[in-house]
Amino acid sequence: MALQKGDLVILQKGSKKYLLIIKEEIFHTHAGYLDLSQIEGKEYGDYILSSKGVPFYILKPTIFDLLMKIKRQTQIIYPKDIGYILLKLDIVEGKTVLECGCGSGALTTALAYFVGKTGRVISYEKKESFVEIARTNLKRFNLEERVVFKLKEVEEAFDEEEEVDALFLDVREPERLLFPAYRALKGGHPLGILVPTTNQVTSVLKGLEALPFVDIEVIEIFLRPYKLNPERFRPEDLMVAHTGYLIFTKKVKVKDGNED
Amino acid sequence: MALQKGDLVILQKGSKKYLLIIKEEIFHTHAGYLDLSQIEGKEYGDYILSSKGVPFYILKPTIFDLLMKIKRQTQIIYPKDIGYILLKLDIVEGKTVLECGCGSGALTTALAYFVGKTGRVISYEKKESFVEIARTNLKRFNLEERVVFKLKEVEEAFDEEEEVDALFLDVREPERLLFPAYRALKGGHPLGILVPTTNQVTSVLKGLEALPFVDIEVIEIFLRPYKLNPERFRPEDLMVAHTGYLIFTKKVKVKDGNED
Amino acid sequence: MALQKGDLVILQKGSKKYLLIIKEEIFHTHAGYLDLSQIEGKEYGDYILSSKGVPFYILKPTIFDLLMKIKRQTQIIYPKDIGYILLKLDIVEGKTVLECGCGSGALTTALAYFVGKTGRVISYEKKESFVEIARTNLKRFNLEERVVFKLKEVEEAFDEEEEVDALFLDVREPERLLFPAYRALKGGHPLGILVPTTNQVTSVLKGLEALPFVDIEVIEIFLRPYKLNPERFRPEDLMVAHTGYLIFTKKVKVKDGNED
Amino acid sequence: MALQKGDLVILQKGSKKYLLIIKEEIFHTHAGYLDLSQIEGKEYGDYILSSKGVPFYILKPTIFDLLMKIKRQTQIIYPKDIGYILLKLDIVEGKTVLECGCGSGALTTALAYFVGKTGRVISYEKKESFVEIARTNLKRFNLEERVVFKLKEVEEAFDEEEEVDALFLDVREPERLLFPAYRALKGGHPLGILVPTTNQVTSVLKGLEALPFVDIEVIEIFLRPYKLNPERFRPEDLMVAHTGYLIFTKKVKVKDGNED
């Protein structure tokens, strides 16, 4: 299928990747400049040559690629964590999911991607500059219509009239939003929380004990990258040691005192 | 929304979870028996009482829950790995994905769930008993119509006339299937591979060098679980040390000798 | 050098190891019984045959082997942690080291081993049954003369008239012993602490801030074991996910307000 | 005990540490210069002021500190690994240990420190510049008399007439030195090997199968550092992902075919 103006592509040379939109434009790289209009009519898997004759492969951007190319003002949630969140929060076509704290919009992007055209993401964020950058990212990825931003602090309650299918908190004091989250969520459905510190985890765990939530899980995910030489196969020298603790639970309507 | 006969639910008491279909049936547990027909008319988040008066919460099964409840004959691929695979292989509504080696069908289930009603999973597996168990799992989850099984060994080529959006290999000698995988895949699109041993990783890396594949990544993912007591917050004593090495790459049409 | 009655040996068959003293005794194993008097006159590296003709290799017990063969009533400190503790507390021949909380005596054993004949370990423990088991272990390893046990609770201060070279706390509330530890320790010398929970780490960190301690480090150590098949090289399936957090610091006489 | 000229001290301000010898010298730092002769007559735990009035604490250098201050031309073996090596190779006062491949001398330093005045380290190294830097390090730490360097390639055999208590290989192709190592080692005593790649591990495992070695262990050790703020307790952002794989085994005189 021939690529057209407006399509999103990855141009890759070695480990260097660029996420670009096909249009009449010259794009400069260390290996010479690229005439982006040359991509038109090519297909994914083809390449174009830079002004220095260096090939840049035209690749289909995956959601992983989009996440790695998020323009960021903040620490973003990493793919290793996002993949697990999708499974725990059950994010597929048609779901309505509420997130509080959009940051630069990495998780927002993934949620919008996976709820599809028939689903919806509601994103609360009190900081205007974060909403702007998240929106910019979503626009680049053609996902902005799936997201409703609410630029406000949440104190007592979220605004939604209908309960949502899943809810995610990425804020400094998530323990203060547990009751609003409880009220906004459908019965039996999942809540996820990301926090960087153990103090926050313990605050959340105490808060969850006081509300009708069950099936609590607290985990960390590590990703260990390897070098690619098959004659000297070994891990990379450095890795990310910490992004955050992930907490998951499910809402029940009332907690019966007879359970253990 | 009231639950009906045929609906899938999780019944949960403490950390014990049962994945059940609502019907006229008595289900026995250590905390007394459950009359499953009582669930009819209730909602997710409600509970029913066992014959001993113990509450069992009725929860919405997430794809994570389905994966944890896979009936298995083989080692399954874990959610920590599946989440990452979904992002790297770009598995959303409408995609066509081919897997080779279905095992008990854990990844098959996740792929079928995320490609949605308009997508399709093609699953090659040479062992009949594996196809049977995978099919049984998919039926329980109402996903069997999204999957086409091909009970055959792949030697020269996969059968598909149209190239697929993504491809995953979970077989003992994936290096032997790299060329068939190359041919079956759309240009610029992703291939994923899971192998348990470093010897297999090095064989795959050598194989990839000989074919037009770029953007190679080899990683491992760890999940570290924590105990839930906020007064004594600490990791669990034991964790899974290894499931497998994940390899990802993308097909290009030809490799140009001038790239680095 | 021929082995004699009273010598300590490891007898090993496959992955099964026994730590034994050479004497007139019959020792029963799943592979037949062993006449331990047969070891007399042999050398390390030789083997003896069981009553079923199965060879058991006679190996020199290392301190690692002793630690793995500690008789235990409690969770022991693991070699992965002990090795690091030795380096941080600078435990060599001639040192005087104080520990509080001996448990089953694993760390006590290692400390006694490394301070040598001219060094000394002072071990505070309030629970008599722990002292007994620790002493039993030390006797088996011929190290009991290097250790002085003090069967008492420490409230205000440790008893020592002379300051010690290093100090280690393995108790439930180490924050309560920071001032006694401070007073018992030589200026500029190291204090180590092991705690299983993050709540204890934060209590200790707050306590350390209030006293003249510098050069604080908090770490965790993981050990990942691998299977031994070179054709299928891969990690073991399970690993220990957590033993404890290690905290290290050094005493200074006074803290000057001008430092950063 | 008053410090004297020639003594080794750590001077520490915040997380900045200097390993210095007391003498008539001016030492420059970002926080002003230090007159090192002022340390004379002070004690560990005291401090001196820089020319800008900033306190630098005088701390006792532990073996851990020495290892962190190794002057290096090469990747050094890390304390997390060295601690475990000491336990597995049973390195205490009086032992004779042979290492092959001294690198910058980090392990050499630790071995020399722990074998004490009555023990000995024999260090084979074919590269003269490595011996020089290792010797420089040992001299700074007053340990040079405990080490004999042999500046030579080992092909057929090590030179020693008497078998050694422990042996460590840190070379590119340790599989080529397994037989020399076997011959140089006492029966029942331990051999350790460090290699960075899985290919080397499998070569060593194959080599060990062909020789009378038992009790094989292959492991990796990770160290995860934490930040020190008790109000926001969390791991550091980055960690070392890989230093090397550690292999340990013990020599037996002959292997009996009847063992499993």
Side-chain angles (χ1 to χ4, degrees), chain C residues 67-85:
Chain C
L67 293 171
M68 298 314 282
K69 290 299 179 183
I70 284 282
K71 288 180 200 296
R72 61 185 78 178
Q73 276 183 0
T74 58
Q75 172 65 35
I76 67 157
I77 305 183
Y78 278 58
K80 69 182 178 67
D81 296 316
I82 288 177
Y84 197 77
I85 291 168

Side-chain angles (χ1 to χ4, degrees), chain B residues 172 196-200 220 222 224-226 229-243 245, chain C residues 172 196-200 220 222 224-226 229-243 245:
Chain B
R172 181 170 282 267
T197 75
T198 64
N199 314 68
Q200 291 165 302
E220 282 182 286
F222 301 82
R224 192 185 198 194
Y226 280 75
N229 182 347
E231 311 296 342
R232 295 187 54 71
F233 185 60
R234 48 159 294 180
E236 293 281 353
D237 296 305
L238 281 180
M239 64 186 274
V240 171
H242 185 64
T243 52
Y245 300 95
Chain C
R172 181 170 280 265
T197 74
T198 64
N199 314 68
Q200 291 165 301
E220 281 182 287
F222 301 82
R224 192 183 198 196
Y226 280 75
N229 182 347
E231 311 297 343
R232 295 187 54 73
F233 185 60
R234 48 160 294 182
E236 294 282 352
D237 297 305
L238 281 180
M239 66 185 274
V240 171
H242 185 64
T243 53
Y245 300 95

Side-chain angles (χ1 to χ4, degrees), chain C residues 63-126:
Chain C
I63 177 65
F64 180 87
D65 296 320
L66 301 187
L67 293 171
M68 298 314 282
K69 290 299 179 183
I70 284 282
K71 288 180 200 296
R72 61 185 78 178
Q73 276 183 0
T74 58
Q75 172 65 35
I76 67 157
I77 305 183
Y78 278 58
K80 69 182 178 67
D81 296 316
I82 288 177
Y84 197 77
I85 291 168
L86 294 175
L87 296 178
K88 290 290 289 191
L89 296 196
D90 207 33
I91 305 300
V92 278
E93 177 82 19
K95 294 288 184 105
T96 297
V97 53
L98 188 158
E99 71 165 358
C100 189
C102 72
S104 301
L107 182 62
T108 323
T109 294
L111 296 174
Y113 195 74
F114 284 94
V115 298
K117 285 176 195 161
T118 61
R120 201 166 41 127
V121 179
I122 304 156
S123 183
Y124 282 76
E125 173 59 62
K126 64 183 177 188

Side-chain angles (χ1 to χ4, degrees), chain D residues 2 13 20 42 84 91 110 116 133 139 143 185 215:
Chain D
K13 184 194 78 72
L20 297 165
K42 300 240 178 211
Y84 197 78
I91 305 299
I133 190 140
K139 266 188 199 145
L143 295 168
L185 194 57
D215 193 16

Side-chain angles (χ1 to χ4, degrees), chain A residues 67 70 74 76 99 102-110 130 133-134 137-138:
Chain A
L67 293 172
I70 284 282
T74 58
I76 67 158
E99 72 165 355
C102 73
S104 302
L107 182 61
T108 323
T109 295
F130 287 175
I133 190 140
N137 280 309
L138 290 162

